[in-house]
Amino acid sequence: MIPPSRAGSRDGRLTALDRRFLARAVELGRGGWGRVHPNPMVGAVVACGGTVLGEARHEEFGGPHAEAAALAALGERARGATLYTSLEPCLHAGKTPPCTEAIRGAGVGRVVFWAAEPGAEAGGGGEWLRGRGVRVDGPFGERGGWAAENPVFFHRASSSRPYLALKLAVSLDGRIAPAGGGRVWLSGPEARAEGHRLRAGFDGILVGTRTWKADDPMLTARGAVTPRVPPAPVLLDRRGQATAGLRALKGEGGARAIVVAGPGAAGPLKRRLAGRAEVVAAGLAPQGLDLAAALEGLGGRGVGSVLCEGGGVLGASLLAERLVDRIYLFVAPVVVGDGGVPAFPLGDPGAPGARTPAFEGWQARLDPVRFGSDTLIVLDRGG
């Protein structure tokens, strides 16, 4: 998170107490990961005279929004209080009534919000409240910081392509495996648990052919967060070599797997995997499957966000084509040494068809976090 105390020029309106309560609202909202999407993660705090009267988060898609939940039990105590929320109160009626009506009905005297609502349909809640006599301060900061907290939600407001994050565990010398590419855990159990928590917030978990052949992964979310909708295992399989015996195709996570194959291989693969996986055909590019077309095909089947765990070659290709929106980099305090598999294989820049991942414009908008002995660095692509 970009703490509200580091927000833009409008930050002068905020007192130290305002910043603390606003930061608490953002922190609360994070607890909705894996349970609220496609809605945003939102937290809210109601306070008066420096005392917190109530707080809540959006807990579940289809359930009460954070602002309404925080106000629900307060009754008259909310009258004249200040409501702090991580996202501009919504103006539209969906599965729940507009938050703006709950705020006005409770008699709240002031609203402070951090991020502006990106959607035209739901936006404008701040102005609506101002027009009805409520003091409203916000937004603060800027879109890049807001999107770092709700990446898929903000991406969806401006792009039809699925949001794609790349997750890698790397050694201090930038390797993801020892020589030969054998399976080995670089990161510790705490980092692996966080990896499973991350999976819960995505619609699909993607790996390339080398990874599913070598590791036969399950690609399920088996962590502290039980996803509201289990992520679909997604296998890239240009030549149509996948078999029904793969663990990712057994439906153990509760989601139907998707296999993306080349145009000539899709038909036979559909017959072979009938009942086990949905097969999507994608065109070919000089280096393999057309990755942009593959993502488009996933989006057409309701996969709006993808976490790629597919190794260095696939990751480098996705980066080179500017298809990656976020990088989760778990850095382990080990050195693999010469001959290890590089996290970002660049190849010979002069070779035909060689591509170099583009790292220009990447920013660390979230603070690094320790998980055991490992450090998670999160990078978001700017522009």
Side-chain angles (χ1 to χ4, degrees):
M1 179 186 76
I2 301 287
S5 59
R6 278 195 255 152
S9 59
R10 305 175 76 177
D11 188 47
R13 302 183 198 175
L14 298 179
T15 67
L17 199 61
D18 289 335
R19 295 184 183 112
R20 179 160 65 87
F21 289 148
L22 200 52
R24 173 59 178 164
V26 175
E27 179 186 14
L28 281 167
R30 290 176 172 177
W33 179 264
R35 302 300 305 175
V36 302
H37 70 289
N39 280 359
M41 297 177 290
V42 183
V45 175
V46 183
C48 185
T51 300
V52 174
L53 304 178
E55 60 181 32
R57 68 170 60 93
H58 183 30
E59 295 277 2
E60 188 88 7
F61 177 75
H65 288 188
E67 301 95 322
L71 292 167
L74 297 182
E76 284 298 310
R77 290 192 297 154
R79 192 162 299 278
T82 297
L83 171 70
Y84 298 87
T85 178
S86 57
L87 183 67
E88 180 180 10
C90 66
L91 188 58
H92 79 297
K95 291 184 177 296
T96 60
C99 294
T100 47
E101 291 186 2
I103 292 168
R104 187 188 183 202
V108 169
R110 181 186 177 216
V111 172
V112 182
F113 71 91
W114 181 49
E117 163 67 56
E121 181 184 2
E127 283 303 316
W128 188 92
L129 289 167
R130 288 186 185 104
R132 286 153 181 80
V134 180
R135 177 185 169 187
V136 179
D137 292 325
F140 300 97
E142 45 84 36
R143 184 182 175 91
W146 307 333
E149 287 295 329
N150 272 296
V152 179
F153 178 70
F154 274 85
H155 176 85
R156 193 173 64 244
S158 59
S159 176
S160 60
R161 173 180 61 77
Y163 179 88
L164 191 140
L166 173 64
K167 180 175 78 69
L168 291 171
V170 302
S171 64
L172 293 176
D173 54 344
R175 311 291 177 174
I176 59 174
R183 182 181 178 91
V184 64
W185 292 116
L186 292 180
S187 54
E190 299 89 348
R192 296 199 294 275
E194 173 62 8
H196 277 282
R197 190 193 71 85
L198 290 176
R199 285 181 175 185
F202 287 85
D203 296 331
I205 312 299
L206 170 69
V207 295
T209 303
R210 289 180 178 86
T211 297
W212 62 256
K213 280 187 173 181
D215 299 341
D216 190 17
M218 293 175 63
L219 302 181
T220 55
R222 307 184 299 279
V225 176
T226 300
R228 183 182 66 86
V229 179
V234 181
L235 310 183
L236 297 187
D237 184 16
R238 181 183 63 173
R239 296 185 175 88
Q241 299 171 322
T243 64
L246 290 171
R247 294 201 298 170
L249 307 188
K250 293 183 178 180
E252 295 183 14
R256 184 94 176 266
I258 300 174
V259 180
V260 183
L269 194 62
K270 284 182 182 180
R271 293 188 290 273
R272 192 163 72 247
L273 299 182
R276 284 298 183 95
E278 182 177 0
V279 176
V280 176
L284 299 179
Q287 293 79 22
L289 283 171
D290 183 331
L291 296 175
L295 285 177
E296 183 178 343
L298 293 175
R301 284 155 179 80
V303 179
S305 60
V306 178
L307 180 64
C308 176
E309 300 184 359
V313 173
L314 176 57
S317 297
L318 291 165
L319 283 165
E321 296 186 24
R322 297 185 62 82
L323 296 173
V324 179
D325 301 291
R326 167 168 284 189
I327 302 174
Y328 292 106
L329 206 61
F330 288 90
V331 182
V334 298
V335 175
V336 171
D338 293 342
V341 180
F344 303 104
L346 304 182
D348 179 1
R355 295 173 295 173
T356 300
F359 287 99
E360 303 85 5
W362 289 87
Q363 298 184 45
R365 295 188 182 275
L366 301 174
D367 293 334
V369 181
R370 285 279 300 276
F371 292 95
S373 298
D374 308 307
T375 301
L376 171 61
I377 299 172
V378 181
L379 301 172
D380 286 336
R381 180 158 60 89

